[in-house]
Amino acid sequence: MKEIFLDSLFTFISNSISRLSFIILSIVTAKVLISEDFHSFTIMMSTLNMIVSSIGFAVGITIVKSAVEYHNNKTKKKEREYFSFIKLFIIGSLVVFIGVSFLYNLISELLFNGKVYFALAFLTLTILALYYTVSSYFLIGVKDFKSLSKYNLLIGTVFILSLLMVMYTDLSYNSLYTITLLLASFYFTGILLCVRKYAQLIPGFNRIEFKLHSTDENYFKKITLPAFLSNLVYAFTVWLQIIIVGYLLNDRNMASEVATGLIWFNALAFIPQTISTVILPRISSENKNKLKILKVGMLINVCSTCILISFLTLTKSQINELYSSQFEQLADLILIMSFASLPNACCKVTGQYFIASSKMNISLMFNSLWAIVYIFTNVILLKFGFGVFSVGYALIISYSILFFSQYVFIRVSETNELCNSN
């Protein structure tokens, strides 16, 4: 358990810096971009996060699961399956990216009010963010959390300092292009550092082979596909709400406020998510003490989340000042959302159980339940006049129900397995 705590501590510190950089990004863009560009930028980042959250996480946990099997059973067959899956993802994502690139005009019309630059920036940043997310899972798969933490600290700190220079330097028209370039550099540097380290750890990774071997279909059926669908349910639900507010209700400012609030919420949620991945390689190879490991993970996640909520409570007035040029109620919205991160932090841990037990279809069912409760609650609260705060209250209610239902299911499942084994 000491090893889990140390790995979680490294991950917590590094990802605090990494996610802080995106909070700083939202502050800087709110201050240096005109309202129209800022609204388009928030839509771009929200859409990017939707894609990366669904695809990147699905591929990432497949890599972690296959890495555990590969290192536990280093046969030629497992090696071919492992590296073929990685090659298939790289080649497949590039083919899709090239195909979608021809639709940049359509994307600019649908999402960015005809601004072609945002469509091109969105496509480029999405593929870089996707590779950055997946490459970080390479190191998680071999439990090299120290290297991953070190890289996140390095590029996160440089990114924050660069953003602060942009905010306090009068770049006027060039601000948007500078911020986009900084984002691209952030992702690209992370990719290079992770892949370079992974190539040192796994000699077979250095072999350049263009021939694809057959892979284990169970990876796709039991892990990748249901994980993709499960995370797509969440990401699409959140993204769709922003689009509905912005376009159907014709309130782009409210949509930007919701999107900015969700950046803070995702920063709070991302840290427990990353800490939870510390227990994934362990619980995947553990047969008896799963509940004990899950409880340790929940304790760590709740404690780290409480620290972050306390920080937000103390700095509420400062947050209001940072966004005063764009929003009036954002600090209150962020604080309400932060309380939703407590049940969310526990859900991040229970989610690892479904991954480790290859029960992603059940996880998809639970996420679908969450989406229904979230949307239904949101609509009711909006009708009762809660406005932008409807999002925060809906998150609290839906995640509380999700955690309770998942935990009950896990307790019953583990009790039944224990009875059957005896």
Side-chain angles (χ1 to χ4, degrees):
M1 294 304 168
K2 180 182 178 182
E3 187 181 358
I4 294 177
F5 175 77
L6 290 175
D7 285 342
S8 298
L9 180 62
F10 283 123
T11 307
F12 174 72
I13 294 172
S14 67
N15 280 283
S16 295
I17 296 295
S18 179
R19 302 319 290 180
L20 177 63
S21 65
F22 283 90
I23 292 175
I24 299 295
L25 174 66
S26 71
I27 295 170
V28 171
T29 52
K31 285 188 172 295
V32 303
L33 299 182
I34 60 175
S35 294
E36 189 176 351
D37 283 348
F38 177 70
H39 295 156
S40 294
F41 189 85
T42 54
I43 295 297
M44 179 181 75
M45 294 304 297
S46 299
T47 309
L48 182 153
N49 286 328
M50 177 193 70
I51 295 171
V52 172
S53 296
S54 53
I55 299 176
F57 179 71
V59 174
I61 63 170
T62 307
I63 287 175
V64 172
K65 283 281 289 181
S66 57
V68 171
E69 292 184 13
Y70 167 60
H71 290 293
N72 289 341
N73 184 18
K74 290 187 177 180
T75 62
K76 285 292 182 182
K77 182 177 181 294
K78 286 295 180 185
E79 181 181 335
R80 286 197 302 268
E81 287 177 354
Y82 184 35
F83 291 120
S84 286
F85 179 81
I86 295 171
K87 294 170 191 173
L88 186 62
F89 164 72
I90 294 172
I91 295 172
S93 57
L94 280 175
V95 170
V96 172
F97 170 72
I98 293 170
V100 174
S101 296
F102 290 103
L103 304 175
Y104 69 91
N105 276 320
L106 178 61
I107 294 172
S108 66
E109 290 293 335
L110 290 175
L111 296 177
F112 308 115
N113 285 344
K115 294 185 177 181
V116 175
Y117 173 77
F118 279 101
L120 295 174
F122 162 70
L123 291 169
T124 303
L125 292 174
T126 298
I127 193 69
L128 288 174
L130 195 58
Y131 282 162
Y132 171 59
T133 302
V134 172
S135 63
S136 66
Y137 276 92
F138 291 164
L139 298 183
I140 292 172
V142 293
K143 302 179 186 179
D144 191 4
F145 296 99
K146 290 183 180 179
S147 294
L148 183 59
S149 300
K150 181 173 66 176
Y151 298 152
N152 283 336
L153 279 170
L154 175 63
I155 62 177
T157 302
V158 173
F159 187 53
I160 289 173
L161 293 175
S162 301
L163 285 172
L164 292 176
M165 288 179 62
V166 171
M167 186 165 67
Y168 292 107
T169 305
D170 185 18
L171 297 175
S172 61
Y173 181 74
N174 294 320
S175 296
L176 178 61
Y177 305 106
T178 304
I179 291 170
T180 305
L181 181 62
L182 287 175
L183 262 173
S185 301
F186 172 87
Y187 291 130
F188 187 69
T189 304
I191 294 169
L192 288 181
L193 289 173
C194 289
V195 173
R196 176 178 171 272
K197 181 64 176 180
Y198 197 73
Q200 294 173 353
L201 294 172
I202 308 296
F205 193 78
N206 288 314
R207 293 200 301 267
I208 301 176
E209 297 178 4
F210 294 97
K211 181 180 178 181
L212 289 175
H213 300 277
S214 61
T215 59
D216 188 350
E217 291 185 1
N218 286 331
Y219 285 150
F220 297 96
K221 291 180 180 179
K222 293 185 177 181
I223 302 175
T224 311
L225 183 59
F228 165 70
L229 293 174
S230 182
N231 284 277
L232 182 61
V233 167
Y234 164 76
F236 182 74
T237 300
V238 173
W239 175 81
L240 186 61
Q241 175 186 268
I242 297 170
I243 298 301
I244 288 173
V245 171
Y247 291 92
L248 296 188
L249 298 183
N250 198 27
D251 192 342
R252 285 175 64 84
N253 190 64
M254 182 177 175
S256 295
E257 191 167 9
V258 170
T260 305
L262 286 169
I263 289 175
W264 284 76
F265 176 75
N266 286 331
L268 288 171
F270 188 86
I271 293 171
Q273 169 67 56
T274 312
I275 291 175
S276 297
T277 57
V278 171
I279 71 172
L280 180 56
R282 294 173 173 87
I283 200 173
S284 295
S285 54
E286 182 66 53
N287 293 321
K288 294 182 179 180
N289 297 319
K290 288 183 180 179
L291 269 179
K292 185 178 181 181
I293 296 174
L294 289 175
K295 288 178 181 178
V296 171
M298 286 182 197
L299 178 63
I300 294 172
N301 269 3
V302 168
C303 291
S304 61
T305 303
C306 285
I307 293 172
L308 296 172
I309 292 175
S310 300
F311 175 77
L312 288 177
T313 304
L314 293 173
T315 58
K316 178 184 170 183
S317 58
Q318 284 77 15
I319 294 172
N320 259 332
E321 292 176 7
L322 291 171
Y323 291 97
S324 58
S325 61
Q326 297 281 357
F327 310 118
E328 295 180 0
Q329 301 176 303
L330 183 63
D332 292 320
L333 174 62
I334 291 171
L335 193 57
I336 293 171
M337 283 182 168
S338 71
F339 287 99
S341 64
L342 281 172
N344 174 268
C346 294
C347 288
K348 298 299 183 185
V349 178
T350 54
Q352 305 306 308
Y353 171 85
F354 297 106
I355 298 168
S357 304
S358 297
K359 296 179 179 178
M360 290 304 298
N361 288 325
I362 297 175
S363 178
L364 173 59
M365 180 189 71
F366 278 117
N367 274 12
S368 299
L369 170 67
W370 170 84
I372 293 169
V373 173
Y374 176 67
I375 293 173
F376 180 74
T377 308
N378 225 327
V379 170
I380 291 177
L381 292 175
L382 282 169
K383 286 188 175 181
F384 276 93
F386 284 87
V388 71
F389 300 125
S390 302
V391 181
Y393 294 130
L395 285 172
I396 294 173
I397 294 170
S398 58
Y399 273 118
S400 297
I401 292 174
L402 177 62
F403 169 64
F404 177 76
S405 57
Q406 283 186 333
Y407 187 74
V408 169
F409 177 87
I410 292 171
R411 289 282 302 191
V412 172
S413 298
E414 287 300 298
T415 302
N416 289 339
E417 283 188 20
L418 186 61
C419 291
N420 292 333
S421 63
N422 293 331

